[in-house]
Amino acid sequence: MAFDGFFTHAMVKELNDTLQTGRVMRVNQPYPAEMVMVVRAHRHNYSLLVSANPSYPRVQLTTIPYQNPAVPSNFAMTMRKYLEGAIIESIEQVENDRIVKINFTNRDELGDNQKLVIYIEIMARHSNVSLVSEPNCKIIETIKHVGSDQNRVRILLPGAPFVMPPKQERTNPYLPNQKYSDLVRQYQKDLDGLAHALQQTYQGLAPATAHELASELLTADNLPTAYEQFINHFNHPTPTILTNDHGKKSFMAFPPVDHQGSLQTFPTLSAMLDTFYAQKAESDRTKELAGQVLKVVKNELKKDRRKVKKLHHQLSEAADADYYRVRGEILTTFMGKVKAGMTDIDLPNFYDNNQPLHIKLAPELSPSKNAQKYFTKYDKLKDSVAYVNEQLALTQKEIDYFENILSQIEIASPADVQDIKVELQEQGYIKQRNKGKKKRKVRTSKPEEFHASDGTTILVSKNNLQNDRLSFKTANKNEFWFHVKDMPGSHVIVRSTAPTDETIQEAAELAAYFSKGRNSDHVPVDYLRVKQLHKPNGAKPGFVTFRGQKTLSVTPKLLQN
């Protein structure tokens, strides 16, 4: 069952029962297409998630923690201005469509009452969240701006009049009707045909919901009773996740009559959606947040790789430095044979059994100046070798750094991506907004915590800021540090000064799992005491040096945290 009109009906009832008369305490926008409102209702704080994410649009209560960006967006600032302190009067569904309307009352800057409405449109890539001033129906702000170049019929921009999406000419199933009876008579034994016809007749029926309704109607003794029971399921839902025999999960407001696989029920629809979307939404949010970071990292890698190619070309030229030295020395030796205005000359090469050597000359230069020109070129190439090698080493370090960032993004959570973005801002790779203003201190996210078979805590950092903090601030100097050998990976700390061999093995497997070698069978992992680590002055975040390590070869494996 999808988040269709029927599921929206059930969710609106749940939200209304929980949040009506509640006060908005805080508004945050942790992700570009998602907003979280903290609502104080019935002596409890609830986090209301409103998502216009094209892959997972929804509205629900959530208990999943989130991390706000360092600088709030314009949308978040506008929502805070108008909604913080507002009272939720009611939450409604527009007919049986996937549109939720939250009605607020608040006081404006003059202390006068104002009516505000949030329209939440749960419509895949067309999903949006709009804050509207009710008296004049003008848009105050939307989470996604839609201009006339994108939609000529419906403009969603601040200041524009709010226009509802085009209405579908279908029947609201909660209004009295008998259309289902005619359809059942028409499609007596055709389950798929009846499901499709119901979907075309009634509002808010996704294919799975229509199929369930058709199945119940075709097996019913009394059609009106079966129809009423079906639509009343959404007034008194039994939130369920169905896992089929192939491991695919789907959520629904109540258990289907006929099903294959296992069922898991939940106390609320919101709790069910938290469980269902926990991993999917996390992955999608990470990709969404990592967009800018990935673009910067890939551009820097592209520039660095071009630079390495250029430096290698310079080295190959420097390897031919003797070409210019030999010609300079021969010109100096046989200076008397060189005449002004000559463009070239053949002279004996005393480095090659006096074989004739063809030497090009600049006719505008004197013979001595021509010889000096060759020596100058030789000295320049010779001196460039040390510089080019130094630049090669520095550029290769930067390539290793960015490749490490890429491997971190692969295993990152949204909080980790925020840390990586802050790191790149501090390193000067991403421009910081509001440079003149006082910087807001960003708290580094916490490393992941695992437990070995004997209960020993193992901490795994997943970005460079975490790496530095874990290895040099959190860890005790006599605890053990793990890292894959010669490839990007996480810093891993075993919180024990005398870990067992089994714990060392499990920590090494974790270090291999959280590394670029995750998909390999045999990954070498270095380990040593934290006190043997050293961070060179000026080194990039996450970079350390060490000596005296031991090495294990392990197969990557994830422990249950």
Side-chain angles (χ1 to χ4, degrees):
M1 186 178 292
F3 209 119
D4 61 3
F6 276 95
F7 193 91
T8 303
H9 178 96
M11 180 58 76
V12 165
K13 184 177 185 303
E14 176 175 301
L15 296 179
N16 223 1
D17 291 346
T18 308
L19 301 180
Q20 192 173 23
T21 72
R23 183 183 295 274
V24 179
M25 307 302 293
R26 187 71 173 161
V27 181
N28 296 309
Q29 190 185 4
Y31 311 107
E34 297 182 354
M35 173 179 71
V36 175
M37 286 190 288
V38 179
V39 180
R40 180 74 176 175
H42 314 298
R43 299 184 179 180
H44 290 281
N45 285 347
Y46 298 95
S47 292
L48 176 64
L49 170 65
V50 178
S51 175
N53 184 301
S55 301
Y56 313 114
R58 63 199 187 281
V59 56
Q60 63 165 105
L61 299 175
T62 183
T63 58
I64 296 176
Y66 56 88
Q67 182 172 341
N68 286 319
V71 180
S73 65
N74 290 335
F75 177 82
M77 295 298 288
T78 303
M79 293 293 139
R80 289 175 185 178
K81 176 182 176 181
Y82 285 92
L83 293 181
E84 286 186 357
I87 302 296
I88 296 177
E89 289 191 327
S90 62
I91 302 175
E92 307 168 10
Q93 180 184 17
V94 177
E95 296 190 345
N96 199 48
D97 211 342
R98 292 167 295 167
I99 302 174
V100 178
K101 181 181 176 185
I102 307 180
N103 300 295
F104 298 90
T105 182
N106 201 2
R107 294 192 178 275
D108 60 20
E109 294 169 349
L110 299 176
D112 297 329
N113 278 330
Q114 61 176 342
K115 300 281 186 181
L116 300 167
V117 180
I118 281 185
Y119 287 94
I120 305 161
E121 301 169 42
I122 306 167
M123 298 177 180
R125 63 190 181 90
H126 299 296
S127 300
N128 214 331
V129 180
S130 305
L131 177 64
V132 177
S133 174
E134 194 172 65
N136 54 19
C137 213
K138 287 287 180 71
I139 297 172
I140 298 171
E141 186 57 284
T142 63
I143 204 164
K144 296 178 187 175
H145 288 185
V146 179
S148 56
D149 56 330
Q150 295 169 274
N151 191 328
R152 294 181 184 179
V153 178
R154 195 163 174 256
I155 297 172
L156 296 173
L157 292 172
F162 181 79
V163 179
M164 293 292 288
K167 185 178 178 182
Q168 294 181 328
E169 296 302 321
R170 295 178 185 175
T171 302
N172 185 340
Y174 284 92
L175 296 178
N177 74 93
Q178 289 289 324
K179 291 184 178 181
Y180 56 88
S181 298
D182 297 333
L183 293 174
V184 170
R185 280 193 293 272
Q186 187 178 347
Y187 299 92
Q188 291 183 10
K189 295 181 180 180
D190 184 359
L191 178 61
D192 292 337
L194 177 58
H196 181 72
L198 288 168
Q199 199 178 351
Q200 297 301 311
T201 303
Y202 291 104
Q203 286 180 334
L205 269 174
T209 314
H211 195 277
E212 181 66 22
L213 175 57
S215 178
E216 293 193 21
L217 289 175
L218 287 175
T219 56
D221 295 326
N222 186 300
L223 285 180
T225 302
Y227 181 80
E228 287 299 321
Q229 285 177 344
F230 179 83
I231 64 173
N232 281 330
H233 274 313
F234 297 92
N235 290 323
H236 308 283
T238 306
T240 303
I241 289 180
L242 169 64
T243 305
N244 68 16
D245 297 334
H246 301 289
K248 186 177 180 181
K249 296 180 184 292
S250 56
F251 66 85
M252 48 205 64
F254 57 90
V257 175
D258 295 316
H259 68 272
Q260 292 181 340
S262 60
L263 296 176
Q264 182 183 6
T265 58
F266 296 83
T268 64
L269 295 167
S270 294
M272 177 191 68
L273 291 180
D274 264 357
T275 299
F276 184 81
Y277 282 121
Q279 290 185 339
K280 291 184 178 181
E282 186 88 343
S283 173
D284 195 67
R285 287 164 173 171
T286 300
K287 289 177 184 175
E288 194 173 17
L289 288 172
Q292 182 192 12
V293 174
L294 279 171
K295 186 177 179 182
V296 168
V297 171
K298 287 178 179 178
N299 283 342
E300 292 295 332
L301 272 172
K302 193 175 179 180
K303 285 193 292 184
D304 283 341
R305 284 167 181 155
R306 277 202 306 260
K307 186 176 179 181
V308 164
K309 194 174 179 181
K310 186 178 178 182
L311 289 170
H312 277 301
H313 179 69
Q314 290 178 7
L315 272 183
S316 66
E317 280 190 341
D320 296 331
D322 281 347
Y323 172 94
Y324 300 96
R325 178 184 60 80
V326 168
R327 280 155 178 75
E329 289 180 357
I330 291 172
L331 281 174
T332 303
T333 302
F334 298 103
M335 189 71 70
K337 293 186 178 183
V338 184
K339 306 300 181 185
M342 293 178 72
T343 57
D344 55 14
I345 190 171
D346 290 324
L347 294 172
N349 183 358
F350 42 74
Y351 288 105
D352 187 21
N353 296 320
N354 288 323
Q355 293 294 317
L357 180 66
H358 189 75
I359 303 173
K360 292 183 178 179
L361 300 171
E364 70 276 8
L365 299 179
S366 67
S368 61
K369 291 284 186 182
N370 267 298
Q372 188 59 44
K373 181 181 177 182
Y374 276 103
F375 283 126
T376 301
K377 182 71 172 176
Y378 165 72
D379 290 337
K380 186 178 179 182
L381 289 173
K382 186 181 175 183
D383 292 342
S384 72
V385 171
Y387 173 78
V388 170
N389 281 327
E390 181 186 353
Q391 288 300 306
L392 263 176
L394 290 173
T395 308
Q396 189 56 53
K397 278 185 180 178
E398 191 161 84
I399 288 173
D400 292 342
Y401 170 71
F402 286 121
E403 286 181 341
N404 187 33
I405 294 284
L406 284 180
S407 67
Q408 290 173 358
I409 291 173
E410 288 178 11
I411 59 171
S413 67
D416 297 324
V417 174
Q418 294 284 11
D419 287 347
I420 292 169
K421 186 174 180 179
V422 168
E423 176 190 336
L424 292 174
Q425 286 175 335
E426 291 175 349
Q427 295 294 310
Y429 296 111
I430 294 179
K431 289 183 180 178
Q432 298 189 47
R433 289 162 51 186
N434 304 323
K435 262 191 172 180
K437 295 183 180 179
K438 187 178 178 181
K439 290 182 183 177
R440 176 183 166 184
K441 190 173 180 180
V442 181
R443 200 178 283 178
T444 304
S445 58
K446 293 181 180 179
E448 267 198 73
E449 184 174 315
F450 297 86
H451 294 93
S453 300
D454 63 359
T456 303
T457 299
I458 303 175
L459 300 178
V460 179
S461 57
K462 294 186 345 191
N463 59 68
N464 288 326
L465 295 184
Q466 282 185 16
N467 285 339
D468 282 351
R469 186 171 185 82
L470 178 61
S471 298
F472 296 104
K473 299 278 187 183
T474 305
N476 182 290
K477 65 180 181 178
N478 287 315
E479 292 174 346
F480 279 80
W481 179 90
F482 292 73
H483 192 280
V484 287
K485 188 178 183 69
D486 300 330
M487 72 175 77
S490 296
H491 291 203
V492 175
I493 295 291
V494 172
R495 307 240 55 186
S496 170
T497 58
T500 63
D501 290 343
E502 187 179 15
T503 298
I504 288 173
Q505 177 76 17
E506 290 173 341
E509 289 169 350
L510 268 178
Y513 182 84
F514 288 99
S515 77
K516 200 171 183 178
R518 174 184 290 195
N519 297 319
S520 303
D521 291 331
H522 301 287
V523 180
V525 177
D526 293 330
Y527 70 98
L528 64 157
R529 291 192 186 273
V530 172
K531 63 184 177 183
Q532 294 170 262
L533 294 176
H534 175 66
K535 189 168 185 68
N537 290 333
K540 288 190 179 294
F543 181 80
V544 295
T545 59
F546 50 85
R547 287 185 301 176
Q549 73 275 16
K550 294 181 181 179
T551 305
L552 271 178
S553 181
V554 298
T555 300
K557 186 178 178 183
L558 182 65
L559 291 176
Q560 295 300 316
N561 56 355

